[in-house]
Amino acid sequence: MKAFLFVCMVAIAAANSAELSQKQKEAVKKFTAECVKETGVRPELLAQAKKGQFSDDEALKKFTLCFFKKTGILTSDAKLNTDVALAKLPSNVDKTKVAKVLEECKKKTGKTHADTAFEIFKCYYSAAPTHLIF
């Protein structure tokens, strides 16, 4: 249970220790639980993704798509919604830097919507000064 709770949070962390609001934390917990249930992703894969270790696992890809759609970061056709993604960042994050990263990641695509969501997530994780992690 502790492992599940550990992976059921989103930590947006930068060098300046950006913090999510309580409302954001509650939404993340809810969406994470829903997407875990819908996709059957293994909690250990989420824990690995949090550390930047991405497994080429279909359930993880589907989880990423599910989570990003529920948060509005991706549209129903798996297009990155930059405005929504930026709006979800804490106020003390340099949104100009993140916007540049998102513009590059927006170009990532895959064979399926889940593949596209996963490629966008990996791109963002590797290049962003602020990480969004499940």
Side-chain angles (χ1 to χ4, degrees):
M1 184 57 124
K2 288 180 183 178
F4 180 75
L5 292 175
F6 174 72
V7 296
C8 288
M9 20 186 310
V10 166
I12 296 179
N16 58 1
S17 299
E19 288 290 325
L20 292 173
S21 70
Q22 187 60 37
K23 184 177 179 181
Q24 288 173 310
K25 289 177 185 178
E26 290 170 7
V28 166
K29 185 177 179 181
K30 176 185 175 207
F31 295 151
T32 299
E34 289 173 0
C35 292
V36 165
K37 185 176 180 180
E38 289 176 28
T39 65
V41 68
R42 295 187 333 258
E44 59 270 15
L45 290 180
L46 292 178
Q48 290 171 349
K50 181 174 179 156
K51 297 174 187 172
Q53 300 167 356
F54 303 106
S55 173
D56 190 32
D57 180 84
E58 283 306 310
L60 180 59
K61 292 176 183 181
K62 290 176 182 177
F63 173 88
T64 305
L65 177 63
C66 176
F67 186 85
F68 283 170
K69 284 172 75 174
K70 286 182 183 286
T71 60
I73 292 171
L74 289 183
T75 63
S76 60
D77 60 347
K79 302 292 183 201
L80 181 62
N81 190 336
T82 305
D83 293 336
V84 170
L86 290 171
K88 294 195 178 295
L89 294 172
S91 61
N92 59 344
V93 170
D94 185 342
K95 293 183 182 184
T96 303
K97 288 181 182 177
V98 175
K100 289 177 185 176
V101 170
L102 290 175
E103 283 306 312
E104 285 304 310
C105 295
K106 191 182 242 185
K107 300 172 188 173
K108 300 291 183 182
T109 60
K111 292 181 182 179
T112 66
H113 288 179
D115 289 335
T116 297
F118 196 59
E119 290 304 314
I120 290 170
F121 177 62
K122 290 190 305 184
C123 172
Y124 178 81
Y125 188 94
S126 68
T130 302
H131 290 142
L132 167 66
I133 303 177
F134 312 114

